[in-house]
Amino acid sequence: MAGHPAGNMKPSLIEALAQDSGGQSLLSHFTECKYHKRHLLFIPYHKENLIFLVKQGRLRVYLALRGKEISLAILGPGDVYSTHTRAHVEALEDTTILTCPIDTFLIHANQQNTLIAALMGSVGRLMTGAISTIENLYFNCADKRVAVYFYEQAASLGQEVKEGIYVKIGLTVDNIAKIVGSSRQTVSTLLSSMEKAGIIKKLNRGEYIVRDMRELFLLANSCSE
Amino acid sequence: MAGHPAGNMKPSLIEALAQDSGGQSLLSHFTECKYHKRHLLFIPYHKENLIFLVKQGRLRVYLALRGKEISLAILGPGDVYSTHTRAHVEALEDTTILTCPIDTFLIHANQQNTLIAALMGSVGRLMTGAISTIENLYFNCADKRVAVYFYEQAASLGQEVKEGIYVKIGLTVDNIAKIVGSSRQTVSTLLSSMEKAGIIKKLNRGEYIVRDMRELFLLANSCSE
């Protein structure tokens, strides 16, 4: 199969789906789309949350910000990916993909096996984390990465309370430093200055309130390179 | 469920497995292991290739090289990961995991649904790619990243031929630069010097022969920071 890594004998997703009747019924919910070489298929936060399978051709998945870009993956026949990420997806060659809304996919996959939705959820969280790490390392300056991290945690997992957004980071400063790829000292200094500026407030070990999400966002995006 | 992101209503892997008889029989191949806080569970290229589910506690997955380290993910109850990666896995708290050899898991999952092995294969390649990108950005200097990339491609996908290892990169120099997070000029310069030194030989567009894997390895690991 063209574009597939040599020596990879595992069945591809499309082959696997075609092999049994359950898979065939799942495949019937997918729509075939063709794109020419260099076409930009998806941009970050594409409005539809789709899963797609590559039938033919090759695609490049990449992150782009402030004039820089970095590739995450080159997808070939049989590969699977989703649109609802922070990545751009472009065709490196004339390409055919099969797309399906992720909710439709999970409902129909779930009818056959509850394992699939759970696997996809867990692996999706891992991929999202890895993409955040890459973005942070490549696009953000070391002394602001912790602001980016707090903003993302608050935006995705925070709970609104009277004083702002409560977020349980649940990690030591040392562990936060190792997540954002920065030193303990740098993280500690920025946390103190964010607390002095009234942007965040530390409650207990690993628990914070973000008092001003707008200021935190501006700080996170203030890198000048 | 403690440690689970708030608002995540998808069933966790363990819940999903317990829900039907097929899942329960799959779960019967897993072994429960308990670890104390700070225990290092797995080191890179752990000899057994295991999939593991987190039952209780939290784990940190991290990359470490030359005295630096960076975290990839914090795993909590219901998360899934595998041991056969370049990552270390340590317990942040007292932790219980369920482990199963990946081959056993795939055989038994496959008997229920061919989709799972295919999904895991495709997603596994994506995660491996993301981890390589993070390693490259965080640990390697920009002017050697292309040597690291060629070494990895040759080691994983190369085919032995008379002159060395044939590897089809299949990408333009510009695309290689965007994968390794380096400039087109830097990549082009290093490729030329590697060709002059007899380490690689360019055949056609995107096709190369690595003539000296040992020299390529040394070059890839010669960053001094």
Side-chain angles (χ1 to χ4, degrees):
Chain A
M1 183 175 284
H4 235 352
N8 172 18
M9 302 314 276
K10 302 244 172 73
S12 91
L13 212 45
I14 297 175
E15 289 165 336
L17 285 167
Q19 265 167 28
D20 58 58
S21 59
Q24 282 162 22
S25 93
L26 196 52
L27 212 47
S28 71
H29 299 282
F30 281 80
T31 311
E32 190 169 298
C33 312
K34 286 172 185 286
Y35 300 94
H36 284 298
K37 183 174 174 173
R38 295 213 180 81
H39 188 90
L40 189 62
L41 283 70
F42 305 111
I43 56 168
Y45 298 115
H46 182 74
K47 62 183 185 303
E48 287 173 289
N49 196 352
L50 306 172
I51 184 170
F52 67 85
L53 313 176
V54 184
K55 191 172 174 186
Q56 209 175 10
R58 282 192 312 162
L59 300 157
R60 184 168 76 93
V61 181
Y62 65 97
L63 303 172
L65 200 72
R66 300 186 203 114
K68 284 173 86 177
E69 62 178 70
I70 186 162
S71 301
L72 275 178
I74 306 291
L75 307 176
D79 279 333
V80 60
Y81 205 69
S82 68
T83 60
H84 204 62
T85 70
R86 277 173 291 200
H88 295 69
V89 181
E90 76 164 354
L92 286 178
E93 304 168 359
D94 288 354
T95 291
T96 307
I97 63 170
L98 303 171
T99 69
C100 178
I102 190 92
D103 291 339
T104 309
F105 175 81
L106 289 177
I107 287 166
H108 290 275
N110 229 2
Q111 281 167 2
Q112 294 171 54
N113 196 318
T114 46
L115 186 56
I116 293 170
L119 266 179
M120 296 291 280
S122 183
V123 165
R125 281 193 299 278
L126 278 173
M127 270 309 289
T128 305
I131 289 175
S132 293
T133 303
I134 293 169
E135 276 194 333
N136 230 345
L137 289 177
Y138 194 62
F139 298 116
N140 298 324
C141 43
D143 65 336
K144 301 291 166 55
R145 282 180 199 152
V146 68
V148 177
Y149 181 73
F150 267 71
Y151 181 79
E152 285 183 357
Q153 293 292 307
S156 61
L157 306 177
Q159 289 167 315
E160 258 186 76
V161 292
K162 215 167 52 181
E163 281 187 274
I165 312 279
Y166 167 80
V167 57
K168 190 174 172 176
I169 303 283
L171 296 170
T172 62
V173 170
D174 195 36
N175 276 327
I176 294 172
K178 282 167 187 164
I179 285 176
V180 300
S182 192
S183 73
R184 196 192 177 294
Q185 186 52 45
T186 303
V187 170
S188 183
T189 304
L190 194 67
L191 285 182
S192 299
S193 74
M194 289 199 296
E195 203 162 355
K196 267 184 211 148
I199 298 173
I200 60 166
K201 180 180 168 185
K202 186 169 177 173
L203 299 178
N204 300 304
R205 245 183 84 140
E207 290 179 72
Y208 297 84
I209 286 182
V210 178
R211 301 179 62 177
D212 193 333
M213 280 292 272
R214 202 186 127 73
E215 277 301 314
L216 182 59
F217 178 82
L218 291 175
L219 185 66
N221 286 279
S222 63
C223 292
S224 58
E225 277 179 290
Chain B
M1 183 175 285
H4 235 351
N8 172 19
M9 302 313 278
K10 304 246 171 72
S12 92
L13 212 45
I14 296 176
E15 288 165 337
L17 285 166
Q19 264 166 28
D20 58 59
S21 60
Q24 282 161 23
S25 94
L26 196 51
L27 212 47
S28 73
H29 298 282
F30 280 80
T31 310
E32 189 169 300
C33 312
K34 287 172 185 287
Y35 300 95
H36 284 297
K37 183 174 173 172
R38 295 213 180 81
H39 188 91
L40 188 63
L41 281 70
F42 305 111
I43 55 168
Y45 299 115
H46 182 74
K47 62 184 186 303
E48 286 173 290
N49 196 352
L50 305 173
I51 184 170
F52 67 85
L53 312 177
V54 184
K55 191 172 172 187
Q56 209 176 10
R58 283 193 312 163
L59 300 157
R60 185 168 75 94
V61 181
Y62 65 97
L63 303 171
L65 200 72
R66 300 185 204 115
K68 283 172 86 179
E69 62 179 69
I70 186 162
S71 300
L72 275 177
I74 306 291
L75 306 176
D79 279 334
V80 58
Y81 205 69
S82 68
T83 60
H84 204 62
T85 71
R86 278 172 291 200
H88 296 70
V89 181
E90 75 164 355
L92 286 179
E93 304 168 358
D94 288 356
T95 290
T96 308
I97 64 170
L98 303 172
T99 70
C100 177
I102 190 91
D103 292 338
T104 308
F105 175 80
L106 290 177
I107 288 165
H108 290 274
N110 230 2
Q111 281 168 3
Q112 294 172 51
N113 196 318
T114 47
L115 186 56
I116 293 169
L119 266 179
M120 296 291 281
S122 183
V123 165
R125 281 194 298 280
L126 278 174
M127 271 307 291
T128 305
I131 289 174
S132 293
T133 303
I134 293 169
E135 276 193 333
N136 231 344
L137 289 177
Y138 195 64
F139 298 116
N140 298 323
C141 42
D143 65 336
K144 301 292 166 54
R145 284 181 198 152
V146 68
V148 176
Y149 182 73
F150 268 71
Y151 181 79
E152 285 183 356
Q153 293 292 306
S156 60
L157 307 175
Q159 288 168 315
E160 258 186 76
V161 293
K162 215 167 51 182
E163 283 186 271
I165 312 279
Y166 166 81
V167 58
K168 190 174 173 178
I169 303 283
L171 296 171
T172 62
V173 170
D174 194 36
N175 275 327
I176 295 172
K178 282 168 187 164
I179 286 176
V180 301
S182 191
S183 72
R184 195 193 178 293
Q185 186 52 45
T186 305
V187 169
S188 182
T189 306
L190 193 67
L191 285 181
S192 299
S193 74
M194 289 200 296
E195 203 162 356
K196 267 183 210 147
I199 298 174
I200 62 167
K201 181 179 168 184
K202 185 169 176 172
L203 298 177
N204 300 304
R205 245 183 82 140
E207 291 179 72
Y208 297 83
I209 286 182
V210 178
R211 301 178 63 178
D212 193 332
M213 280 291 274
R214 201 185 127 72
E215 278 301 315
L216 183 58
F217 178 82
L218 291 175
L219 186 65
N221 286 278
S222 63
C223 292
S224 58
E225 277 179 289

